[in-house]
Amino acid sequence: MYNAKAYSAVSATSPLASDTIARRDPTEHDVQIEILFCGICHSDLHSVRDEWSDFMSTTYPIVPGHEIVGRVTQVGSAVTKFKSGDLVGVGCMVDSDGHCPKCKAGFEQFCQNAIFTYNSPDEHKTAPVTYGGYSNSIVVDQRFVLRVPPNLDLAGVAPLLCAGITTYSPLRHWGVIEGKKVGVVGLGGLGHMGVKLAHAMGAHVVVFTTSPDKKEDALRLGADEVVVSRNADEMQKHAGSFDFILDTVAAKHDINAYLNLLDLDGNITLVGAPEKPLDVAAFSLIMSRRSLSGSMIGGIAETQEMLDFCGEHNITADVEVIPIQKVNEAYERLPKSDVKYRFVIDMASLKSE
Ligand code: NAP
Ligand code: ZN
């Protein structure tokens, strides 16, 4: 084992603070990575504040972070996919059983034994739970390490590892292609990636936002139209017209207002994970045989496919790069929808801790 620098929180109400954590020495299948950038996902905030305690409670201390890019510093003897010096990414998962039907089908994220990047039981017993990317170093099984396209800006790549795959996977699953009318609800970290990706897939993209000042940005990011969702008349104009809507909202909101915008057989997929349940009116669904579903990140092969797609289309996240000392400030701003459009921590700032 060796020591790594990190930022952790010791309770749901305490700020993140400098800490030293143990990492395992790389086993034969492991890749050791020097973390260069890590994105701040709203899931980090939900987890640090224990807002999902009904579904997955947080074990403290927590070291969040699952939008990791870095450079390989060492590989185990059986590692074939990576070598020292490679630029790589790690997303929301660091392991799974590898042999269940879901793993075999490439859906590691739905494996009963999936190990998430933070707050999952640590099978290597280096610590009670896994510790994430707000750190200068991490050790990950090569099966869960991704190749980063060489042409992309590294800070902008970090958010692809969660926000990118979480939006790419349902867009692909629900057949978003040229000619489809697609809505994206919420222009935050996930939402702005959803807009870029749906636009690159050729869809007609409509952004729904509660923030009128994001209108110009939405168009610049690839939206064809922008609707301020608090304006009922603007919403009504789109009634019954969408093939697919991706809902990225992080707080409780009126899902029926969006269900009513779906065409016959239209689908709305939730990727946002508000802590409180949403109320669904049966009539919103039955009137046009509409469906409501959910989606969680994406499998490893699909994550690589998404990264390669972003490389080809020159897609990265719009980021506000911050030193780690500003992480608590970022946590204050995130729930106020005050980020354009993803905070990314420059891990070089950890050197001074
Ligand atoms: P984010 O950057 O905070 O973006 C969320 C956006 O939702 C905000 O920018 C805002 O957009 C909108 N919003 C916030 N509060 C709202 C409210 N009360 N009513 C209506 N709209 C509101 O968060 P994120 O990192 O994109 O994450 C979004 C959600 O997805 C979180 O719950 C997160 O935990 C979840 N998540 C899920 C997965 C998965 O695998 N399913 C993966 C990652 C994250 P406007 O200003 O445009 O209205
Ligand atoms: Zn995330």
Side-chain angles (χ1 to χ4, degrees):
M1 290 205 293
Y2 66 100
N3 284 337
K5 291 184 177 188
Y7 258 52
S8 68
V10 294
S11 79
T13 50
S14 44
L16 288 149
S18 184
D19 196 359
T20 300
I21 56 169
R23 296 289 195 191
R24 68 176 180 272
D25 292 319
T27 68
E28 57 177 350
H29 300 286
D30 281 336
V31 176
Q32 184 192 49
I33 301 161
E34 178 198 4
I35 300 177
L36 300 175
F37 295 100
C38 185
I40 299 182
C41 179
H42 206 116
S43 302
D44 300 349
L45 178 62
H46 289 304
S47 303
V48 165
R49 303 266 189 268
D50 205 11
E51 289 172 355
W52 290 337
S53 55
D54 291 348
F55 314 100
M56 45 171 96
S57 62
T58 301
T59 300
Y60 294 94
I62 176 174
V63 178
H66 57 206
E67 293 185 336
I68 298 167
V69 291
R71 194 181 295 280
V72 175
T73 44
Q74 201 183 325
V75 296
S77 57
V79 170
T80 50
K81 288 168 67 185
F82 303 98
K83 60 179 187 324
S84 211
D86 286 355
L87 289 173
V88 293
V90 176
C92 304
M93 297 177 280
V94 289
D95 214 345
S96 71
D97 63 32
H99 54 70
C100 73
K102 285 164 190 152
C103 285
K104 284 197 166 142
F107 299 129
E108 297 90 348
Q109 74 273 34
F110 302 124
C111 170
Q112 294 291 328
N113 299 308
I115 306 285
F116 295 98
T117 307
Y118 58 82
N119 198 40
S120 264
D122 180 5
E123 51 181 351
H124 296 269
K125 311 284 177 219
T126 321
V129 289
T130 51
Y131 292 145
Y134 296 9
S135 173
N136 60 353
S137 177
I138 192 165
V139 177
V140 180
D141 188 295
Q142 67 165 342
R143 292 193 299 125
F144 288 81
V145 179
L146 286 308
R147 288 185 312 278
V148 168
N151 57 316
L152 299 179
D153 169 65
L154 275 189
V157 166
L160 302 181
L161 276 306
C162 174
I165 184 59
T166 301
T167 50
Y168 181 90
S169 183
L171 290 170
R172 282 283 191 235
H173 179 76
W174 290 97
V176 169
I177 50 169
E178 196 169 342
K180 298 282 181 185
K181 185 171 174 184
V182 171
V184 176
V185 188
L187 197 64
L190 265 55
H192 96 291
M193 287 313 309
V195 172
K196 290 187 185 208
L197 292 167
H199 174 73
M201 291 171 189
H204 180 91
V205 182
V206 182
V207 164
F208 295 93
T209 180
T210 59
S211 312
D213 61 309
K214 291 183 183 173
K215 246 181 162 168
E216 290 300 310
D217 279 348
L219 296 170
R220 177 180 57 78
L221 294 165
D224 297 282
E225 300 178 61
V226 187
V227 172
V228 176
S229 50
R230 294 200 166 119
N231 182 326
D233 293 340
E234 272 190 61
M235 293 288 280
Q236 189 51 37
K237 279 190 203 141
H238 290 274
S241 70
F242 280 87
D243 298 298
F244 178 70
I245 297 178
L246 186 65
D247 184 335
T248 77
V249 176
K252 186 164 170 140
H253 59 288
D254 179 14
I255 187 82
N256 301 295
Y258 297 102
L259 283 167
N260 291 328
L261 304 187
L262 292 173
D263 197 355
L264 175 66
D265 287 331
N267 170 270
I268 184 163
T269 291
L270 296 178
V271 285
E275 61 176 306
K276 301 250 165 54
L278 303 176
D279 302 312
V280 178
F283 275 85
S284 305
L285 291 170
I286 65 181
M287 293 303 282
S288 278
R289 203 165 54 190
R290 295 162 174 142
S291 65
L292 165 64
S293 54
S295 187
M296 188 175 78
I297 47 175
I300 290 298
E302 194 175 39
T303 305
Q304 190 62 60
E305 177 189 308
M306 175 276 308
L307 285 167
D308 296 344
F309 179 89
C310 289
E312 273 163 44
H313 293 264
N314 239 317
I315 295 174
T316 51
D318 283 29
V319 297
E320 180 175 338
V321 177
I322 58 163
I324 201 157
Q325 291 77 11
K326 290 214 162 157
V327 68
N328 292 304
E329 211 175 285
Y331 272 40
E332 296 292 320
R333 286 176 52 194
L334 193 55
K336 296 177 189 152
S337 305
D338 177 21
V339 52
K340 292 186 170 173
Y341 279 86
R342 195 56 134 191
F343 290 113
V344 170
I345 303 165
D346 181 351
M347 227 41 85
S349 59
L350 204 48
K351 292 198 174 96
S352 63
E353 294 286 340

